[in-house]
Amino acid sequence: MATTTSDASTGSAPVHVSHQSPVRRLELNRPDSRNPLDGPMVDALSDAVAEASAEASVRVILITGAGRAFSAGGNIGNISERLAVKAGADGRDPIAGGNRRYGRFLERFVSVPKITVVAAAGAAMGGGAGLVAAADLAIASSQATFGFPETGIGLVPAQILPFVAARIGVQNARRLMLTGERISAAEAYRIGLIDYLVDDPAEWQLRIDSVCASIVRGAPTALATTKQMLRQGPGMDAWHGRGLEDYLDAAADTFARQMRSEAIEGVTAMREKRVPDWAR
């Protein structure tokens, strides 16, 4: 695969875009804060995916993360500011709107005609693990870890839950989300959260290239049509249709209620490095 386009964004952009024909690589580019999936990151990622999806030369959309972590998930460092924002003209809690933004991205991400690959070389937590689950194919290094810590700080995995459950099954999702257990890449591979496990760091890029090359050997329309057919299998229509949209809308409202209640204590306890009141 020959490089046809180099860096398509500035070094400070939330998402660093490069093109190695026929692969469009999107690198989460906030390593100092562990690539949080906050508003600017999600907006930049959404735009980059849409652009890649519209280009005929792109066959694979590859998402990676800069630095030691793939993504720590949603940003809760600004909880005070988020709690202070007043409802808009529609009366809806702005926290719900912010939460729903990521779900809308995931809905579009799973439906693009290109084949999507996520490669996580470090920790993928919460929304980061949800992004892994939403990809067509997922690769991880043996150093990667995964988890859904939301309930431990009084939140819910609102927008990612259906995508995770679709990949690993309801019971595995139940175990990980209700306990907040952090799992190794080997366990993630065992339960199907990832499709490829790379033990040797020297083999990391080679495995990514190999997976992408295997995809590209398929015919573009055949790949896109097969992906669409998988979305239309028994029981899948309702999941991908209006039912999912309604579910995620309601989940965003639930997230907002939690942010304004138990999460206040949960985030405070985390910052103070103590157990929250409900766990004493």
Side-chain angles (χ1 to χ4, degrees):
M1 292 184 287
T3 301
T4 58
T5 305
S6 59
D7 188 351
S9 61
T10 67
S12 60
V15 175
H16 179 275
V17 182
S18 58
H19 189 69
Q20 186 180 33
S21 182
V23 178
R24 179 66 55 86
R25 182 169 185 152
L26 314 179
E27 183 180 56
L28 308 183
N29 192 36
R30 288 283 185 262
D32 292 345
S33 50
R34 303 176 73 218
N35 301 320
L37 290 163
D38 55 12
M41 178 73 81
V42 172
D43 288 346
L45 192 57
S46 184
D47 289 345
V49 168
E51 181 180 340
S53 181
E55 292 191 18
S57 63
V58 176
R59 302 282 307 282
V60 178
I61 299 174
L62 169 68
I63 299 180
T64 62
R68 298 179 61 184
F70 173 69
S71 174
N75 181 15
I76 58 170
N78 60 352
I79 184 172
S80 297
E81 292 84 352
R82 293 167 73 181
L83 290 171
V85 176
K86 304 299 183 183
D90 61 358
R92 192 175 192 196
D93 193 321
I95 292 175
N99 182 251
R100 189 65 181 88
R101 173 189 285 155
Y102 189 45
R104 280 193 296 270
F105 163 71
L106 291 176
E107 288 180 90
R108 292 191 293 267
F109 184 61
V110 298
S111 66
V112 296
K114 312 298 183 179
I115 307 306
T116 59
V117 178
V118 167
M125 297 290 132
L131 181 55
V132 172
D136 292 322
L137 297 171
I139 307 168
S141 73
S142 57
Q143 289 75 41
T145 54
F146 303 85
F148 305 94
E150 290 88 348
T151 59
I153 55 171
L155 291 171
V156 292
Q159 300 300 301
I160 63 172
L161 189 153
F163 300 94
V164 174
R167 177 176 270 271
I168 65 175
V170 172
Q171 186 54 39
N172 280 318
R174 181 180 286 121
R175 169 171 68 96
L176 296 180
M177 291 176 174
L178 297 184
T179 67
E181 175 186 356
R182 180 175 294 198
I183 62 172
S184 66
E187 175 65 3
Y189 179 69
R190 187 189 73 81
I191 65 175
L193 182 57
I194 61 173
D195 303 294
Y196 303 92
L197 176 61
V198 183
D199 291 318
D200 185 353
E203 299 292 323
W204 176 243
Q205 190 59 49
L206 292 175
R207 177 58 65 86
I208 293 173
D209 291 343
S210 174
V211 170
C212 291
S214 295
I215 295 167
V216 171
R217 283 195 288 270
T221 302
L223 287 168
T225 303
T226 299
K227 180 173 176 175
Q228 181 63 23
M229 291 170 65
L230 287 166
R231 286 165 50 84
Q232 296 173 334
M236 297 299 287
D237 275 344
W239 190 89
H240 285 290
R242 183 68 191 180
L244 177 61
E245 184 178 348
D246 291 343
Y247 176 93
L248 294 175
D249 284 344
D253 292 331
T254 300
F255 181 90
R257 288 194 295 272
Q258 286 300 124
M259 179 74 83
R260 294 187 182 280
S261 56
E262 289 177 323
I264 296 173
E265 164 62 12
V267 173
T268 300
M270 181 181 65
R271 288 173 173 169
E272 296 177 354
K273 297 182 180 180
R274 59 172 175 81
V275 298
D277 288 345
W278 62 73
R280 292 181 181 178

